[in-house]
């Protein structure tokens, strides 16, 4: 073989080596970067024992606080209600030997606490009889008498349970309709109620039937995402009854325990909107009866809230009341007066801005908080 032939052969071998090396380098680059599925392709972060954990966009679900005992844990939030109703009455009744002027003060205190005229007159008669029978003249004696009479006024025999269990006999979820006027915290209450149910181990679908307020659906979506509750939405300005219907249908399809439907906040004086609320309930009931209609009232509105309550009760059968903002300037007596007015129990109370500050109402715990030192 000539020198020229040896030179050509060497060049061919060298070319083959270069090709092999280029392929090896390409393979290493490919295996040394992530794919889109692992979530790190954009950064080109290496994979291996020393690699940083890949960032994830999956929202970690929250664990709501247990529903049981919430009111006891939040009793300190009732401090402002305590001032008017609890401490005011204790100071008056513990004087002993009350004359008519003192009883006038007791009556005024009850009225200022939003007890309402009828409830005030009834409680006044009971307190007078109790003072005479027990010779009340100390703070401890007054507290015992007040505790007994206030708990009785709240009627502990009322059924305050939420009917939110799945109907296994007909294989469908329970349905809860949340209603109320603008500004009561209705959508927030719907979201907190979902958390309350999830805390008790139930599965939930939320229906965003407040299609009139642009941010309402987004707000409810956020609440649902935090606890893994599916949210059924419609277009802004769409038919709320259609959303309610679809929400129940979705709940049936997914086999959840409860469907909770948020409705548009509406002024009780607007006849058209109130009629539409009745339509939402009727359409939702095409799948079966609505189990709960919860009326959300702002406790700080006092007796004005009762006017709203009467009108809502005429349009839909209210099964329970949710009193929000009871931790603010509300007077504790509103619980008594709203139950007396509607003949239905206060089932839940809102005691703050926190996600788990919605609590099942317990008359004994509530009264003890009002009369605390």
């Amino acid at each position: 073989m000539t020198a020229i032939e040896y030179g050509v052969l060497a060049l061919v071998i060298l070319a083959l080596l270069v090709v092999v090396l280029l392929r090896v380098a390409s393979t290493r680059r490919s295996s040394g970067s992530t794919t889109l599925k692992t979530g790190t392709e954009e950064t080109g972060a290496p994979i291996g024992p020393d690699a940083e954990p890949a960032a994830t966009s999956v929202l970690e679900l929250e664990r709501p606080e247990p529903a049981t005992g919430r009111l006891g844990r939040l009793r300190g939030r009732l401090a402002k209600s305590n001032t008017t109703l609890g401490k005011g009455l204790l100071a008056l009744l513990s004087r002993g030997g009350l004359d008519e002027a003192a009883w006038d003060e007791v009556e005024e205190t009850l009225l200022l606490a939003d007890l309402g005229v009828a409830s005030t007159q009834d409680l006044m008669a009971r307190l007078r009889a109790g003072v005479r029978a027990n010779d009340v003249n100390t703070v401890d004696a007054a507290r015992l008498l007040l505790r007994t009479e206030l708990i009785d006024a709240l009627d502990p025999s009322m059924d305050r349970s939420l009917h939110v269990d799945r109907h296994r006999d007909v294989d469908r979820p329970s349905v809860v309709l949340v209603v109320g006027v603008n500004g009561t915290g209705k959508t927030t209450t719907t979201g907190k109620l979902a958390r309350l149910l999830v805390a008790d181990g139930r599965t939930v679908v939320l229906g965003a039937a407040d299609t009139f307020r642009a941010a309402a659906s987004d707000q409810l979506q956020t609440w649902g995402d935090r606890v893994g509750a599916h949210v059924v939405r419609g277009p802004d300005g769409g038919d709320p009854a259609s959303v309610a219907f679809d929400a129940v249908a979705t709940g049936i399809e997914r086999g959840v325990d409860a469907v909770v439907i948020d409705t548009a906040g509406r002024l009780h004086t607007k006849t058209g909107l109130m009629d539409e609320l009745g339509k939402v309930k009727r359409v939702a009931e095409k799948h079966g009866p609505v189990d709960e209609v919860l009326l959300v009232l702002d406790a700080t509105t006092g007796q004005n809230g009762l006017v709203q309550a009467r009108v809502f009760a005429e349009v839909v059968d209210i099964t329970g009341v949710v009193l929000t903002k009871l931790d603010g300037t509300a007077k504790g007596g509103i619980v008594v007066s709203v139950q007396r007015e509607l003949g239905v129990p206060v089932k839940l109370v809102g005691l703050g801005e926190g996600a788990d500050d919605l609590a099942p109402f317990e008359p004994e715990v509530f009264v003890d908080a009002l009369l605390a030192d």
Side-chain angles (χ1 to χ4, degrees):
M1 184 180 292
T2 65
I4 295 175
E5 291 174 332
Y6 276 116
V8 171
L9 180 61
L11 288 173
V12 170
I13 294 173
L14 181 61
L16 289 172
L17 286 174
V18 170
V19 170
V20 171
L21 290 173
L22 287 174
R23 287 184 177 179
V24 170
S26 175
T27 302
R28 286 181 177 177
R29 282 197 300 271
S30 176
S31 63
S33 62
T34 65
T35 66
L36 182 61
K37 292 181 181 179
T38 65
T40 56
E41 181 181 14
E42 295 177 359
T43 62
I47 292 178
D50 298 326
E52 293 293 328
T56 176
S57 59
V58 177
L59 181 66
E60 184 176 351
L61 298 182
E62 298 178 7
R63 293 186 178 181
E65 293 180 9
T68 304
R70 274 195 190 184
L71 188 60
R73 295 194 297 273
L74 298 170
R75 60 183 293 172
R77 307 280 180 86
L78 291 166
K80 293 181 180 179
S81 297
N82 171 304
T83 301
T84 300
L85 184 56
K87 292 183 178 178
L89 286 176
L90 279 176
L92 289 168
L93 293 179
S94 60
R95 293 178 187 174
L98 299 182
D99 57 16
E100 284 305 310
W103 280 112
D104 285 344
E105 288 186 59
V106 172
E107 183 177 31
E108 182 181 0
T109 300
L110 292 174
L111 290 171
L112 289 174
D114 281 333
L115 224 72
V117 175
S119 296
T120 293
Q121 291 175 343
D122 182 56
L123 188 55
M124 281 285 292
R126 290 173 173 272
L127 289 174
R128 281 178 180 269
V131 168
R132 285 195 301 269
N134 300 290
D135 190 26
V136 175
N137 55 21
T138 66
V139 171
D140 288 340
R143 181 177 285 110
L144 181 61
L145 174 63
L146 271 176
R147 185 179 189 277
T148 300
E149 298 303 338
L150 286 174
I151 290 175
D152 188 67
L154 290 169
D155 193 357
S157 67
M158 281 185 161
D159 178 15
R160 300 179 195 278
S161 61
L162 290 170
H163 301 123
V164 288
D165 291 325
R166 181 174 177 78
H167 299 282
R168 302 196 181 281
D169 54 337
V170 291
D171 196 29
R172 71 171 180 83
S174 58
V175 179
V176 180
L177 206 61
V178 184
V179 304
V181 301
N182 295 301
T184 57
K186 177 182 51 53
T187 300
T188 297
T189 296
T190 304
K192 290 183 178 182
L193 177 57
R195 293 180 66 90
L196 194 74
L197 300 182
V198 169
D200 279 342
R202 292 182 176 87
T203 51
V204 181
V205 162
L206 291 171
D210 183 355
T211 58
F212 297 121
R213 187 165 65 89
S217 294
D218 291 338
Q219 184 181 353
L220 199 63
Q221 184 73 57
T222 300
W223 282 105
D225 289 346
R226 291 167 68 178
V227 293
H230 181 74
V231 180
V232 176
R233 306 173 57 160
D236 290 343
D239 180 15
S242 175
V243 176
F245 181 88
D246 290 344
V248 181
T250 300
I252 294 172
E253 179 184 344
R254 287 174 169 256
V256 301
D257 297 310
V259 176
V260 184
I261 302 170
D262 178 34
T263 61
R266 58 199 73 230
L267 294 174
H268 57 289
T269 54
K270 300 294 185 182
T271 305
L273 287 176
M274 294 302 291
D275 289 343
E276 186 174 81
L277 179 59
K279 176 188 173 185
V280 170
K281 183 172 184 286
R282 290 192 302 273
V283 171
E285 287 183 324
K286 290 184 181 295
H287 294 290
V290 169
D291 299 273
E292 291 275 7
V293 180
L294 299 178
L295 173 63
V296 182
L297 292 176
D298 181 344
T300 63
T301 61
Q303 295 298 303
N304 290 333
L306 295 183
V307 178
Q308 304 166 6
R310 292 187 196 107
V311 179
F312 275 92
E314 292 172 0
V315 177
V316 287
D317 294 327
I318 304 298
T319 61
V321 175
V322 182
L323 280 175
T324 62
K325 308 177 187 179
L326 201 58
D327 59 314
T329 58
K331 316 299 191 300
I334 187 63
V335 182
V336 177
S337 55
V338 74
Q339 287 191 163
R340 186 183 184 112
E341 178 68 32
L342 296 180
V344 298
V346 170
K347 293 193 172 186
L348 299 164
V349 289
L351 293 166
E353 298 295 327
D356 295 321
D357 289 348
L358 183 70
F361 183 70
E362 304 171 62
E364 293 86 354
V365 176
F366 178 73
V367 170
D368 287 341
L370 292 180
L371 300 178
D373 293 331

